[in-house]
Every structure is written in structure tokens, then in C-alpha cells.
Amino acid sequence: MRELKLDKQQKADMVSAIRTVLATELDLDIGGLQAEMLVDQLSDIVAPVFYNQGLQDAHTAVLRRMEDAAGDIDVLEKHVPRRL
């Protein structure tokens, strides 16, 4: 898996969301730097899980399409008439 890189706006949005959740749900106020460090740590922990799930979902979707294509090919198959 390649390293997860967030652009500045994505990271700022995540920092803001983390600060809001911690303040409203846990009554915990943290600074922007602390929230940024938390985002970095959580990204390292959870990114591989979401990445692997995305790969699994893509694999399932590709297999489903391949099965559909196989069915389409079966419909197109011509039968050779038998002569007795």
C-alpha cells in the first residue's frame, strides 16, 4: 500500500472534525497541533483497514462483472447442428 497523502484542505477538514467530535462528545478541547498529530496517528492505524476493504469491494465488483460477461458470451455461442 502506498503512503496516504492528504492535501492541506483535507487535513484541515479532518483536524476541524476531530476537534469538534472531541469537544462535543467527550467534552475535551485540544489544540490544532494535537488534533493534527491525532489525525496522522489515526490515518496510520485505520487507513490500511479502509484500503483493504476498498480492494476487497473492487475485487467483488470485478468478479461480478466477469460473471455477467461470461453469461453474455454463453448466450452468443452458436450450436453446431448434428446430422444423423
Side-chain angles (χ1 to χ4, degrees), residues 9-42:
Q9 187 59 52
Q10 288 173 317
K11 193 166 196 176
D13 292 345
M14 291 181 73
V15 165
S16 177
I18 290 287
R19 291 182 76 193
T20 300
V21 167
L22 291 176
T24 57
E25 299 296 325
L26 301 176
D27 197 27
L28 179 65
D29 291 319
I30 64 172
L33 181 59
Q34 291 172 313
E36 192 171 322
M37 292 171 64
L38 182 57
V39 165
D40 290 339
Q41 289 294 318
L42 288 174

Side-chain angles (χ1 to χ4, degrees), residues 26-63:
L26 301 176
D27 197 27
L28 179 65
D29 291 319
I30 64 172
L33 181 59
Q34 291 172 313
E36 192 171 322
M37 292 171 64
L38 182 57
V39 165
D40 290 339
Q41 289 294 318
L42 288 174
S43 294
D44 290 344
I45 294 167
V46 300
V49 174
F50 290 117
Y51 178 83
N52 291 340
Q53 183 62 53
L55 286 178
Q56 194 63 36
D57 292 347
H59 182 257
T60 300
V62 168
L63 285 178

Side-chain angles (χ1 to χ4, degrees), residues 61-78:
V62 168
L63 285 178
R64 190 174 311 120
R65 287 185 181 228
M66 292 298 290
E67 289 171 2
D68 292 345
D72 292 344
I73 290 170
D74 288 343
V75 169
L76 297 173
E77 190 174 285
K78 305 248 184 227

